[in-house]
Amino acid sequence: MSFWSHFSYAITIFLMVAGLYIVIARGNLIKKLVGLGVFQTSVYMLYIAPGKLIGGTAPIIDANFKVYSNPLPHVLILTAIVVGVATLALGLALVVRIREAYDTIEEDDILASDEGEPGGDGQRR
Amino acid sequence: MNIVLDVLSWACLAGGGFFCVVGGIGLIRMPDFYTRMHAASVTETLGAGLILLGLMLQAGFTLVTAKLLLICLFIFLTSPAATHALAKAALLRGLQPLLTAMGDKPSKP
Amino acid sequence: MFATAACALLATIALALARAALGPSVFDRLQSANTIGTCAMLLLAVMGFLGGRPEFLDLALVYGLLNVLGTIAVLKYFRHGDLGEPGDAEESPKP
Amino acid sequence: MRHNLVLRVVAKLLIPFILLFALYVQFHGDFGPGGGFQAGVIIAAAIIFYGLIYGLDAARKAMPDRVVETMVACGVLIYAGVGLAGLFLGGNYLDYFVLDHDPAHGQHRGIFWVEVGVAVTVSGVMLKIFYMFASRGRDPE
Amino acid sequence: MALTVIVLTRSRNLFTVVVLAGVYSFLMATALVALDAVDVAMTEASVGAGISTVLLLGALYLCKSEETKPVRKPWLPLAVSAAAGALLVFGTLGLPAFSDPAAPIHTHVVPRYLNDVLRETGVPNVVTAVLASYRGYDTLGETTVVFTAGIGVIALLRRRRKQPGAANKQDAAK
C-alpha cells in the first residue's frame, strides 16, 4: 500500500472535490452544470481505473493478447456518458427557462426575487 | 531494408516530436496572438506530418496506413481552415496585430 | 522511440495548456485548445502503436473531427452570437 | 458564413467523409472500438457541423424536424422490437439466440439491430436538442 | 488536467469556462485511452468535446450572461469540499491497489464474459457484446432515458415560442 498504488484514487478524489466545490460555491447555474460535469468525469475515473490491468490491453478479443482490462465498467460508463449528456441538455433547457422567467441565472438573484414577491409576476409570464 | 525503415521512421518521429515541442514553446513565448498562431501551425503541420509519416513507415502497407493517410488528410484539411476562421474572427473582433501597435497603420481586414 | 514521441507530445500539451490557462484573450485559449486537440490526436496514434494495437486510429479520427467542430462552433458563436444563423453581410462588409 | 468561402468548401468536402466514417464506426463496432452511441453522436455532429456553417435553415431543410422526431421514437421502437422479435420466435424478451438458426449468428444479428436502434435514437435526440437550442433565440420577438 | 480544473474553478468568464470544459473533456478522453477504455474514450471525446460544447454555447447565447458575480465567502464551501475529500481519502485506504489482478472487480463475472464471448456471440469487441447482449435490458432502459430527456427538452423549450404578447393573449383567453 504505497502512495503510487492509490494514485488513481487520489486523482479521482481531487476531481470530485473540485467539482463539488464548483457546484457548491458558484452561484451561476451554467457554471454549476459544468461543475457537475467535472464531478461526473471523476465518477468515470472511479469506475474505469480499477478495471485497468497493467500489461493488459483494451477488451477486444484478439489472438495475440492474453490479458484484457475489465470490460464491465466500460459498459456501465458508456451508458452513463450518454445519459450524462442528455441530462446536461435537460439541465441547460431548464436554465434557459429559468432565465426567461427570472431574467437572471444567478442563484442568489433568483432566491431574492422569490422572496421579494412570492408567487408574483416573476414566476409565470 | 528493415533497419533502414526503422531508422527512417525513428528519425521522423524524433523530428516530429521536436517540432511539436518547438511549437509549444512558441505558443508560450510569442508576444501576441497572431504570432502565436504561427507557432501553433508549426505543431499542426510539420510536427503532425512527420509523426504520422514515421508511424506510416512503421505500419507498412496495411489498413493502418490508409487510416493514417486519412488522418493526415484530415489534419491538413481542417487545421488551416480552423486557423483561417480563427484569424478572421480575431481580426473582425478588433484584435490588432502587435505591429500596428508599434506605429504602423492598421491594416484593413 | 514511440515513447520519446509520446513524451514530446505530452510536453507540447502541457505547454499549450499553460497558454490556455493564462491566455489573455479568448482567441489564445481557442488556439491552444486546437493545438491540444491535434496533439491529443497524435498522442492517441502513437499510443496505439506503443500498446501494439494500431486499430485505435478511429479514435484519433473522431478527435480530429470533433476538434474542428468545437472550434468552429465557438467561432460562430463569437462572430454572430448565434448558432443557427447562416451569416449575412453585416459582419463582414465587402470591400 | 456566406463570405467565408474556405470554411464552406472544407465543410462540403468533409461532411460526406464524416457520415461515411460514422457508418464505419457503427458497423465496425463489433470488431473495433465503436458502436451505436458513438455512431449516433458522430452523425449528429456531422449535421450540426453543416448547420453551423450553412445555417440552421439549411440543416433543417436537409434534415426536417419531422424526420428527426421520427428518428427519436423509432430508435427505441427498433430496440424494443428486437426484444419482441425474440419473444415471438420462442425465446425470452431480448433473447437473441432464436433470431437465427445458429445461436452465435442470432446473437450477432440481435446486437446489430440493437446498435442500429441506439444510434438512431441518440442521433435523433442530439439533433433535436441542437435544433431546439439554436432556434430558440432566432424567432422574431 | 488538474490545472484545467483549477482554472475552470477560478475563471469568471463563462465563455472561457466553456472552452476549457472542451479541453478538459479532451484530456479526460486521452486519460481514458491510457486506461484501456477505448469505447468510453470515443464516446467521451465525441460527446464532451463536440456536442456538449455546442449545447453549452447555445444555452450561453440564450442566457446572454458573460460574467458571474464574485464569490462572497468561499470558506464554507471550501471547508465542506475539503472535509468530503478527507473522508474519501480515508475511504480509499481500504480499497485494493491499482491494477491488482486479485481485486474483486476482476474475479466475479468478468472472466465469463472474456472467455465465452467469442463462442456465444461471435463479437470480438467485448464491450459491444456486453452492452447489447448480456446487459441488453440496461441499454434498453438507457436508450429510454435518452429518449425521455429529448422529449423533456422539447417540452421545455417548445412552449412560449411566440411573442410575449401572443402568450399573454393566450393566457387572457384561458
Side-chain angles (χ1 to χ4, degrees):
Chain A
M1 178 164 298
S2 65
F3 172 72
W4 288 106
S5 74
H6 283 60
F7 187 59
S8 64
Y9 295 120
I11 295 176
T12 306
I13 289 171
F14 175 75
L15 290 180
M16 200 174 273
V17 168
L20 188 66
Y21 176 73
I22 296 177
V23 173
I24 298 178
R26 299 293 156 146
N28 189 296
L29 289 177
I30 290 185
K31 194 76 175 279
K32 269 179 199 282
L33 280 175
V34 173
L36 217 53
V38 172
F39 197 94
Q40 215 175 9
T41 44
S42 82
V43 177
Y44 304 160
M45 278 302 261
L46 179 66
Y47 267 61
I48 299 280
K52 160 84 176 166
L53 281 177
I54 289 177
T57 61
I60 298 171
I61 303 278
D62 196 352
N64 298 330
F65 297 97
K66 284 283 172 290
V67 185
Y68 299 101
S69 293
N70 197 331
L72 192 56
H74 299 181
V75 176
L76 300 179
I77 294 309
L78 197 60
T79 54
I81 289 177
V82 181
V83 170
V85 76
T87 44
L88 175 73
L90 199 59
L92 286 176
L94 272 174
V95 170
V96 169
R97 295 285 299 172
I98 285 172
R99 199 249 164 208
E100 282 170 0
Y102 287 90
D103 272 338
T104 174
I105 54 171
E106 298 290 327
E107 197 180 29
D108 299 334
D109 297 349
I110 293 171
L111 286 179
S113 82
D114 252 2
E115 277 167 11
E117 32 182 324
D121 190 45
Q123 274 158 14
R124 58 190 302 262
R125 282 247 320 250
Chain B
M1 187 59 199
N2 231 344
I3 293 180
V4 174
L5 269 188
D6 268 359
V7 168
L8 262 182
S9 81
W10 286 355
C12 282
L13 282 176
F18 173 72
F19 280 118
C20 277
V21 174
V22 165
I25 292 172
L27 209 56
I28 292 286
R29 297 277 305 167
M30 286 291 186
D32 83 325
F33 169 68
Y34 296 96
T35 47
R36 264 178 227 140
M37 205 154 64
H38 168 73
S41 69
V42 169
T43 304
E44 279 173 3
T45 54
L46 209 50
L50 277 179
I51 284 185
L52 288 177
L53 188 64
L55 291 182
M56 264 185 251
L57 288 177
Q58 279 283 328
F61 279 108
T62 47
L63 181 64
V64 175
T65 310
K67 274 184 201 165
L68 282 172
L69 265 179
L70 209 59
I71 291 180
C72 214
L73 197 76
F74 217 81
I75 288 186
F76 286 158
L77 212 57
T78 56
S79 96
T83 311
H84 164 84
L86 204 60
K88 204 168 172 186
L91 205 59
L92 284 175
R93 194 73 177 181
L95 200 65
Q96 295 293 334
L98 199 62
L99 270 182
T100 60
M102 285 175 175
D104 274 354
K105 282 197 154 191
S107 57
K108 281 291 171 198
Chain C
M1 201 57 225
F2 291 136
T4 315
C7 284
L9 284 172
L10 273 179
T12 314
I13 286 182
L15 288 171
L17 203 55
R19 175 47 73 194
L22 42 88
S25 76
V26 181
F27 297 108
D28 287 311
R29 289 175 212 271
L30 260 179
Q31 178 68 64
S32 57
N34 208 346
T35 307
I36 287 176
T38 311
C39 281
M41 190 163 149
L42 292 174
L43 188 63
L44 269 191
V46 173
M47 230 149 57
F49 275 86
L50 199 61
R53 305 204 71 172
E55 300 111 339
F56 301 158
L57 293 172
D58 308 350
L59 211 56
L61 273 173
V62 177
Y63 271 45
L65 152 67
L66 291 151
N67 195 8
V68 175
L69 177 68
T71 311
I72 299 289
V74 172
L75 287 176
K76 189 81 190 295
Y77 173 82
F78 226 55
R79 275 177 65 178
H80 308 289
D82 190 350
L83 288 176
E85 206 154 305
D88 289 331
E90 30 132 5
E91 79 278 353
S92 62
K94 276 251 181 177
Chain D
M1 300 193 180
R2 189 159 298 152
H3 297 295
N4 213 336
L5 192 65
V6 176
L7 274 182
R8 294 177 84 96
V9 171
V10 166
K12 202 168 255 177
L13 275 174
L14 275 185
I15 284 172
F17 279 110
I18 296 175
L19 286 175
L20 200 62
F21 179 65
L23 289 181
Y24 169 76
V25 166
Q26 163 86 39
F27 296 123
H28 197 255
D30 300 349
F31 307 104
F37 292 108
Q38 292 91 338
V41 173
I42 293 172
I43 291 173
I47 298 172
I48 288 175
F49 195 45
Y50 184 72
L52 282 179
I53 289 184
Y54 287 88
L56 183 67
D57 294 331
R60 276 209 150 125
K61 205 176 281 173
M63 209 66 190
D65 268 347
R66 190 176 296 274
V67 174
V68 173
E69 283 166 14
T70 317
M71 274 166 67
V72 171
C74 267
V76 181
L77 284 183
I78 289 175
Y79 201 130
V82 172
L84 283 185
L87 204 58
F88 283 135
L89 290 175
N92 292 321
Y93 188 67
L94 284 178
D95 187 359
Y96 308 140
F97 289 114
V98 292
L99 291 182
D100 203 348
H101 303 299
D102 187 19
H105 286 175
Q107 282 281 342
H108 213 136
R109 189 172 288 182
I111 288 175
F112 174 79
W113 282 109
V114 161
E115 296 278 0
V116 169
V118 169
V120 168
T121 303
V122 169
S123 63
V125 168
M126 296 297 159
L127 268 181
K128 188 66 201 171
I129 290 171
F130 171 69
Y131 282 174
M132 295 315 289
F133 273 103
S135 69
R136 181 72 176 173
R138 299 191 59 234
D139 296 318
E141 284 188 76
Chain E
M1 213 154 79
L3 184 72
T4 324
V5 176
I6 291 171
V7 177
L8 207 59
T9 322
R10 293 208 52 84
S11 66
R12 301 263 160 68
N13 189 344
L14 278 182
F15 195 76
T16 311
V17 169
V18 172
V19 173
L20 285 182
V23 170
Y24 169 76
S25 178
F26 256 110
L27 293 178
M28 187 73 204
T30 313
L32 287 177
V33 174
L35 291 174
D36 280 350
V38 190
D39 293 78
V40 181
M42 205 173 195
T43 320
E44 167 76 22
S46 49
V47 159
I51 304 286
S52 67
T53 306
V54 173
L55 290 185
L56 281 169
L57 285 176
L60 210 57
Y61 165 65
L62 292 178
C63 291
K64 289 195 187 70
S65 135
E66 282 284 323
E67 307 105 16
T68 62
K69 282 189 305 188
V71 190
R72 291 154 308 161
K73 291 168 296 190
W75 299 116
L76 180 64
L78 201 60
V80 170
S81 308
L87 267 180
L88 287 170
V89 168
F90 179 67
T92 57
L93 292 183
L95 289 176
F98 181 64
S99 173
D100 180 10
I105 186 173
H106 291 301
T107 53
H108 277 305
V109 72
V110 174
R112 181 176 176 278
Y113 287 157
L114 283 178
N115 293 328
D116 292 350
V117 72
L118 261 186
R119 187 171 50 77
E120 283 185 351
T121 66
V123 172
N125 189 352
V126 189
V127 175
T128 305
V130 175
L131 181 83
S133 176
Y134 293 103
R135 296 198 154 258
Y137 280 102
D138 278 8
T139 313
L140 176 60
E142 185 273 337
T143 315
T144 318
V145 169
V146 173
F147 170 73
T148 316
I151 298 295
V153 171
I154 294 175
L156 274 174
L157 289 187
R158 177 166 279 176
R159 268 190 63 226
R160 224 191 121 249
R161 258 239 207 94
K162 303 145 203 145
Q163 284 181 301
N168 283 341
K169 233 180 281 171
Q170 278 186 351
D171 276 358
K174 253 180 226 169

Short mmCIF file of all heavy atoms in Angstrom, two decimals, chain E residues 14-45:
data_model
loop_
_atom_site.label_atom_id
_atom_site.label_comp_id
_atom_site.label_asym_id
_atom_site.label_seq_id
_atom_site.Cartn_x
_atom_site.Cartn_y
_atom_site.Cartn_z
N LEU E 14 -17.81 33.13 -18.56
CA LEU E 14 -18.45 31.86 -18.86
C LEU E 14 -17.94 31.28 -20.17
O LEU E 14 -17.86 30.08 -20.33
CB LEU E 14 -19.94 32.04 -18.96
CG LEU E 14 -20.65 32.05 -17.63
CD1 LEU E 14 -22.13 32.19 -17.86
CD2 LEU E 14 -20.39 30.78 -16.90
N PHE E 15 -17.57 32.17 -21.06
CA PHE E 15 -17.10 31.72 -22.36
C PHE E 15 -15.83 30.91 -22.21
O PHE E 15 -15.68 29.82 -22.76
CB PHE E 15 -16.85 32.95 -23.20
CG PHE E 15 -16.72 32.63 -24.62
CD1 PHE E 15 -17.84 32.34 -25.35
CD2 PHE E 15 -15.49 32.59 -25.21
CE1 PHE E 15 -17.72 32.01 -26.66
CE2 PHE E 15 -15.37 32.27 -26.51
CZ PHE E 15 -16.49 31.99 -27.24
N THR E 16 -14.92 31.44 -21.40
CA THR E 16 -13.69 30.72 -21.12
C THR E 16 -14.00 29.37 -20.49
O THR E 16 -13.35 28.37 -20.78
CB THR E 16 -12.84 31.55 -20.16
OG1 THR E 16 -12.78 32.85 -20.68
CG2 THR E 16 -11.48 30.99 -20.03
N VAL E 17 -14.99 29.38 -19.62
CA VAL E 17 -15.36 28.14 -18.97
C VAL E 17 -15.75 27.09 -19.99
O VAL E 17 -15.33 25.94 -19.91
CB VAL E 17 -16.52 28.39 -17.99
CG1 VAL E 17 -17.09 27.07 -17.51
CG2 VAL E 17 -16.06 29.19 -16.83
N VAL E 18 -16.49 27.52 -21.00
CA VAL E 18 -16.94 26.55 -22.00
C VAL E 18 -15.76 26.00 -22.78
O VAL E 18 -15.64 24.78 -22.97
CB VAL E 18 -17.97 27.21 -22.94
CG1 VAL E 18 -18.27 26.28 -24.08
CG2 VAL E 18 -19.22 27.52 -22.18
N VAL E 19 -14.86 26.89 -23.21
CA VAL E 19 -13.71 26.43 -23.97
C VAL E 19 -12.87 25.47 -23.14
O VAL E 19 -12.45 24.40 -23.59
CB VAL E 19 -12.86 27.63 -24.43
CG1 VAL E 19 -11.59 27.14 -25.07
CG2 VAL E 19 -13.64 28.48 -25.39
N LEU E 20 -12.66 25.85 -21.88
CA LEU E 20 -11.84 24.99 -21.04
C LEU E 20 -12.53 23.67 -20.74
O LEU E 20 -11.86 22.65 -20.58
CB LEU E 20 -11.51 25.71 -19.74
CG LEU E 20 -10.47 26.79 -19.91
CD1 LEU E 20 -10.16 27.43 -18.58
CD2 LEU E 20 -9.20 26.20 -20.47
N ALA E 21 -13.84 23.69 -20.70
CA ALA E 21 -14.54 22.43 -20.49
C ALA E 21 -14.29 21.49 -21.66
O ALA E 21 -14.10 20.28 -21.47
CB ALA E 21 -16.03 22.67 -20.30
N GLY E 22 -14.25 22.05 -22.86
CA GLY E 22 -13.93 21.22 -24.01
C GLY E 22 -12.54 20.63 -23.90
O GLY E 22 -12.34 19.44 -24.13
N VAL E 23 -11.58 21.48 -23.53
CA VAL E 23 -10.20 21.00 -23.39
C VAL E 23 -10.13 19.91 -22.33
O VAL E 23 -9.49 18.86 -22.51
CB VAL E 23 -9.28 22.17 -23.01
CG1 VAL E 23 -7.92 21.66 -22.62
CG2 VAL E 23 -9.16 23.12 -24.16
N TYR E 24 -10.82 20.15 -21.24
CA TYR E 24 -10.82 19.18 -20.15
C TYR E 24 -11.36 17.84 -20.63
O TYR E 24 -10.84 16.78 -20.30
CB TYR E 24 -11.67 19.73 -19.02
CG TYR E 24 -11.98 18.74 -17.95
CD1 TYR E 24 -11.01 18.40 -17.03
CD2 TYR E 24 -13.21 18.13 -17.87
CE1 TYR E 24 -11.27 17.48 -16.06
CE2 TYR E 24 -13.49 17.21 -16.91
CZ TYR E 24 -12.51 16.89 -16.00
OH TYR E 24 -12.78 15.96 -15.06
N SER E 25 -12.40 17.93 -21.43
CA SER E 25 -13.00 16.69 -21.90
C SER E 25 -12.04 15.92 -22.79
O SER E 25 -11.93 14.68 -22.69
CB SER E 25 -14.28 17.03 -22.63
OG SER E 25 -14.86 15.90 -23.12
N PHE E 26 -11.32 16.65 -23.63
CA PHE E 26 -10.33 16.00 -24.49
C PHE E 26 -9.28 15.28 -23.66
O PHE E 26 -8.93 14.12 -23.91
CB PHE E 26 -9.62 17.05 -25.36
CG PHE E 26 -10.08 17.03 -26.76
CD1 PHE E 26 -10.82 18.06 -27.27
CD2 PHE E 26 -9.78 15.97 -27.57
CE1 PHE E 26 -11.25 18.04 -28.55
CE2 PHE E 26 -10.20 15.95 -28.86
CZ PHE E 26 -10.95 16.99 -29.36
N LEU E 27 -8.79 15.99 -22.65
CA LEU E 27 -7.72 15.38 -21.85
C LEU E 27 -8.25 14.18 -21.09
O LEU E 27 -7.57 13.16 -20.95
CB LEU E 27 -7.16 16.42 -20.88
CG LEU E 27 -6.43 17.54 -21.59
CD1 LEU E 27 -5.94 18.55 -20.59
CD2 LEU E 27 -5.25 16.97 -22.34
N MET E 28 -9.48 14.31 -20.64
CA MET E 28 -10.09 13.19 -19.93
C MET E 28 -10.17 11.97 -20.85
O MET E 28 -9.86 10.84 -20.43
CB MET E 28 -11.50 13.60 -19.52
CG MET E 28 -12.18 12.62 -18.64
SD MET E 28 -11.46 12.69 -17.03
CE MET E 28 -11.89 11.08 -16.45
N ALA E 29 -10.53 12.22 -22.09
CA ALA E 29 -10.65 11.09 -23.01
C ALA E 29 -9.29 10.47 -23.26
O ALA E 29 -9.17 9.24 -23.34
CB ALA E 29 -11.26 11.56 -24.32
N THR E 30 -8.25 11.30 -23.33
CA THR E 30 -6.92 10.73 -23.52
C THR E 30 -6.52 9.87 -22.33
O THR E 30 -5.95 8.79 -22.48
CB THR E 30 -5.91 11.86 -23.71
OG1 THR E 30 -6.45 12.77 -24.66
CG2 THR E 30 -4.62 11.34 -24.23
N ALA E 31 -6.85 10.37 -21.14
CA ALA E 31 -6.55 9.57 -19.95
C ALA E 31 -7.31 8.25 -19.99
O ALA E 31 -6.79 7.21 -19.59
CB ALA E 31 -6.92 10.35 -18.70
N LEU E 32 -8.52 8.29 -20.51
CA LEU E 32 -9.30 7.05 -20.57
C LEU E 32 -8.67 6.07 -21.55
O LEU E 32 -8.69 4.86 -21.31
CB LEU E 32 -10.73 7.35 -20.98
CG LEU E 32 -11.57 8.01 -19.91
CD1 LEU E 32 -12.94 8.33 -20.45
CD2 LEU E 32 -11.72 7.08 -18.75
N VAL E 33 -8.11 6.58 -22.64
CA VAL E 33 -7.42 5.67 -23.56
C VAL E 33 -6.23 5.04 -22.86
O VAL E 33 -5.96 3.85 -23.00
CB VAL E 33 -6.97 6.40 -24.83
CG1 VAL E 33 -6.14 5.48 -25.68
CG2 VAL E 33 -8.17 6.83 -25.60
N ALA E 34 -5.53 5.84 -22.07
CA ALA E 34 -4.39 5.28 -21.35
C ALA E 34 -4.85 4.20 -20.39
O ALA E 34 -4.09 3.30 -20.07
CB ALA E 34 -3.68 6.39 -20.59
N LEU E 35 -6.09 4.30 -19.94
CA LEU E 35 -6.62 3.26 -19.05
C LEU E 35 -7.30 2.15 -19.82
O LEU E 35 -8.08 1.39 -19.23
CB LEU E 35 -7.60 3.88 -18.06
CG LEU E 35 -6.99 4.79 -17.02
CD1 LEU E 35 -8.06 5.45 -16.20
CD2 LEU E 35 -6.11 3.98 -16.12
N ASP E 36 -7.09 2.08 -21.12
CA ASP E 36 -7.60 0.99 -21.96
C ASP E 36 -9.09 1.04 -22.24
O ASP E 36 -9.64 0.09 -22.75
CB ASP E 36 -7.31 -0.39 -21.35
CG ASP E 36 -5.89 -0.79 -21.61
OD1 ASP E 36 -5.25 -0.11 -22.40
OD2 ASP E 36 -5.45 -1.78 -21.03
N ALA E 37 -9.74 2.10 -21.89
CA ALA E 37 -11.19 2.16 -22.11
C ALA E 37 -11.44 2.85 -23.45
O ALA E 37 -11.74 4.03 -23.50
CB ALA E 37 -11.87 2.90 -20.99
N VAL E 38 -11.30 2.11 -24.53
CA VAL E 38 -11.30 2.75 -25.84
C VAL E 38 -12.69 3.26 -26.21
O VAL E 38 -12.86 4.39 -26.65
CB VAL E 38 -10.81 1.76 -26.89
CG1 VAL E 38 -10.58 2.46 -28.19
CG2 VAL E 38 -9.54 1.11 -26.44
N ASP E 39 -13.67 2.40 -26.02
CA ASP E 39 -15.02 2.82 -26.40
C ASP E 39 -15.47 4.02 -25.58
O ASP E 39 -16.07 4.96 -26.10
CB ASP E 39 -15.99 1.67 -26.17
CG ASP E 39 -15.72 0.53 -27.10
OD1 ASP E 39 -14.77 -0.22 -26.85
OD2 ASP E 39 -16.44 0.42 -28.09
N VAL E 40 -15.16 3.95 -24.30
CA VAL E 40 -15.56 5.05 -23.43
C VAL E 40 -14.88 6.33 -23.87
O VAL E 40 -15.48 7.40 -23.89
CB VAL E 40 -15.22 4.72 -21.98
CG1 VAL E 40 -15.64 5.83 -21.08
CG2 VAL E 40 -15.88 3.45 -21.57
N ALA E 41 -13.60 6.22 -24.24
CA ALA E 41 -12.88 7.42 -24.65
C ALA E 41 -13.50 8.00 -25.91
O ALA E 41 -13.64 9.22 -26.05
CB ALA E 41 -11.42 7.09 -24.89
N MET E 42 -13.90 7.14 -26.81
CA MET E 42 -14.53 7.62 -28.04
C MET E 42 -15.81 8.37 -27.73
O MET E 42 -16.05 9.47 -28.23
CB MET E 42 -14.84 6.42 -28.92
CG MET E 42 -14.93 6.71 -30.37
SD MET E 42 -15.08 5.13 -31.19
CE MET E 42 -14.73 5.58 -32.84
N THR E 43 -16.61 7.78 -26.86
CA THR E 43 -17.86 8.44 -26.52
C THR E 43 -17.60 9.75 -25.80
O THR E 43 -18.24 10.76 -26.09
CB THR E 43 -18.69 7.52 -25.62
OG1 THR E 43 -18.57 6.21 -26.10
CG2 THR E 43 -20.12 7.92 -25.63
N GLU E 44 -16.66 9.71 -24.87
CA GLU E 44 -16.40 10.91 -24.10
C GLU E 44 -15.90 12.04 -25.00
O GLU E 44 -16.32 13.18 -24.87
CB GLU E 44 -15.36 10.60 -23.02
CG GLU E 44 -14.75 11.79 -22.34
CD GLU E 44 -15.69 12.43 -21.34
OE1 GLU E 44 -16.61 11.74 -20.89
OE2 GLU E 44 -15.50 13.61 -21.04
N ALA E 45 -15.02 11.68 -25.93
CA ALA E 45 -14.49 12.71 -26.81
C ALA E 45 -15.60 13.29 -27.67
O ALA E 45 -15.75 14.51 -27.80
CB ALA E 45 -13.39 12.15 -27.70
#
